[in-house]
Amino acid sequence: MTYKELIDIAADSQWMAYAPYSGFRVGAAIECSDGTVFTGCNIENAAYACTICAEQVAVSKAVSMGRRDFIRIAIISDGDDYCMPCGSCRQVLQEFAPEIELLCANKDGKYVCYGLKDLLPAPFKKNSGSCDW
Ligand code: THU
């Protein structure tokens, strides 16, 4: 799949966003190693802390379908700026795909590309702590 195709799928998902509080709609599309794509959008809540980010919806859909072999994720929003993943989303991606590539797009579909290692260089992970996991 091309980068543009993955961003276009994320953009389609963006229109499903439920964002009455922020007005900021986000779409995500995460690609597995065989080209399977899972989509997500942000889902807000009157109790703001219950909001779920688009990336986490996409990851949850994929993992609940038995898929964790992520290679790339596209993220797009309404903004002029490139849509960067929040810290929590970086951590969620780290759990399953430390090598994942991120395509962070703006409303015009222009994008910048990062490795998760660039955006979360010293992650907390299994065995990071002193607990005997
Ligand atoms: N949001 C995402 O969906 N992904 C991110 O990585 C950052 C923020 C959403 C959450 C909330 O609905 C809106 O953007 C404003 O923060």
Side-chain angles (χ1 to χ4, degrees):
M1 175 165 310
T2 66
Y3 287 6
K4 185 180 180 328
E5 285 170 336
L6 194 63
I7 291 166
D8 285 347
I9 294 170
D12 285 344
S13 190
Q14 186 187 352
W15 303 113
M16 310 297 176
Y18 177 71
Y21 304 103
S22 72
F24 189 72
R25 294 171 299 182
V26 183
I30 195 163
E31 183 180 357
C32 301
S33 54
D34 66 352
T36 304
V37 174
F38 293 88
T39 58
C41 61
N42 52 332
I43 304 172
E44 298 186 346
N45 193 280
Y48 295 171
C50 296
T51 291
I52 316 172
C53 289
E55 301 92 313
Q56 295 187 43
V57 171
V59 169
S60 299
K61 285 166 69 176
V63 173
S64 65
M65 295 294 286
R67 300 301 298 266
R68 303 173 188 169
D69 55 326
F70 308 131
I71 58 167
R72 194 167 296 118
I73 184 168
I75 310 158
I76 190 165
S77 74
D78 298 322
D80 291 325
D81 294 335
Y82 300 120
C83 189
M84 302 303 295
C86 74
S88 295
C89 289
R90 296 177 198 200
Q91 182 67 30
V92 167
L93 292 169
Q94 161 66 36
E95 184 70 21
F96 299 108
E99 309 289 336
I100 198 168
E101 188 175 31
L102 296 96
L103 311 176
C104 305
N106 70 5
K107 64 175 171 36
D108 302 320
K110 290 186 179 155
Y111 64 92
V112 283
C113 185
Y114 292 97
L116 183 60
K117 286 182 189 312
D118 302 320
L119 301 181
L120 193 66
F124 185 83
K125 54 191 175 186
K126 201 154 101 172
N127 300 326
S128 280
S130 54
C131 312
D132 185 16
W133 290 337

